[in-house]
Amino acid sequence: MAKHTVTLIPGDGIGPEITDAMRRVVEATGVDIAWEVVEAGADVMEKYGTPLPEHVIESVRKNAVAIKGPVTTPVGTGFRSVNVALRRALDLYVNLRPAFSIAGTGARYDDVDIVIVRENTEDLYAGVEFEEGKTETLELIEFVEAHGAGSIRRDSGISLKPISITGSERIVRYAFEYALANSRSKVTAVHKANILKYSDGLYLDVARRVAAEYEGRVEFEDRIVDATCMGLVMHPEDFDVLVLPNLYGDIVSDLAAGLVGGLGIAPGANIGTDAAVFEPVHGSAPKYTGKDMANPTAEILTAVLMLQHLGEREAADKILAGVRSVLAEGTKVTYDIRRTNTGSTDGAVGTQAYADAIIATF
Ligand code: NAD
């Protein structure tokens, strides 16, 4: 029996290609993993009547660790995101998105080392929405007005932003525990509490209360989200661990990915009490499907996070060193990195050739 069994969800779009590259790189380290491959997304809709079949969730529950490629969320079909549904089904309340500089990516900075801790279950992503024109939407508008909470135009659609003490407390605590476990010195709580008094204001109150428990061990500060974005672009070295509610976390983590070379290299993890699902920040990039062009670095660095989580430090370090060496050397890189570095995609290699170059460093 293998030492670890991991659920592998290849996803769609560029997902199958980049997960294939990732799997080959991981296997080449010699780590003992058995993959349980299960499919999710639009392609299984016809067969199972849902894009996220129960056996996929069960597989992750059983193995407690999964790694996935991106899954497309068709716009305007009533088909909710598989990624959001999976996070919700397994209560994966942490979305961990490290952004660190790697030489050779052509990024504008070379000294970024930040970790975004994004709340993953509530806020505007809770999926509590009221469609424009529906009876219940008009009732909600009347309820709001009857309670003196303001006025809303009758032709509005409404998305609610619930932020709870429970959700805020566990994510902020996770950020502090992560800082302690990874020798990080500061946690910045990001919010818009000056405007959103009862949602972000509550989040900030809870953050301050939790931070007090870590006083003297981890530094704490809070910042408004807009000022955070400017600060990150001007002085990313001022930041260490950032903890954010769901929507700001989503946006700021793409910004952070941009600081270190783009979505093609940004890894991520969704972590709960009983399971962890590792996935890159980027989506399925449909226009590159099947072209052997996509950059698998984000998926491969996502596997590094997974191996660290599994306690396989040696394999994780080996892969990270391999990625660093191939990117620094600069000749066997995918089109996106090539373009950033030279202004042209000429001389770029494909997804699998790049993975082979990493394997060749082992
Ligand atoms: P995207 O991340 O797929 O693409 C954004 C841009 O980044 C595109 O120009 C794309 O070509 C480029 N890009 C992304 N990944 C790349 C890679 N590995 N190598 C090279 N270039 C890369 O974002 P999108 O276009 O907004 O979304 C496409 C689909 O993916 C949507 O259906 C969306 O819902 C879904 N999505 C899924 C996830 C997930 O599975 N967790 C996350 C985000 C988006």
Side-chain angles (χ1 to χ4, degrees), residues 92-121:
L92 305 173
Y93 67 95
V94 183
N95 190 184
L96 193 67
R97 293 178 163 182
F100 51 92
S101 300
I102 298 182
T105 57
R108 289 174 190 268
Y109 304 88
D110 57 12
D111 56 353
V112 178
D113 184 11
I114 59 185
V115 177
I116 306 277
V117 178
R118 166 189 171 194
E119 203 287 327
N120 226 359
T121 65

Side-chain angles (χ1 to χ4, degrees), residues 17 20 33 89 98 108 145 157 177 179-180 208 214 223 243 276 279 308 311 326 331 333-334:
E17 297 161 64
D20 189 37
I33 291 181
R108 289 174 190 268
E145 289 175 356
E177 289 298 326
L180 281 179
R208 287 185 170 144
Y214 293 85
R223 290 207 198 196
V243 60
E279 64 178 347
Q308 289 166 345
V326 173
T331 58
V333 296
T334 47

Side-chain angles (χ1 to χ4, degrees), residues 16-26 296 300 351-352 355 359:
E17 297 161 64
I18 60 171
T19 51
D20 189 37
M22 175 278 296
R23 180 175 168 164
R24 293 195 303 109
V25 169
V26 170
I300 291 168
T351 310
Q352 302 307 329
I359 293 168

Side-chain angles (χ1 to χ4, degrees), residues 14 68 70-73 83 263 279 281-285 288 295 335:
I14 59 170
K68 65 182 279 295
V71 178
T72 305
T73 306
N83 313 300
L263 283 175
E279 64 178 347
V281 175
H282 67 71
S284 57
Y288 294 114
N295 187 350
Y335 81 94

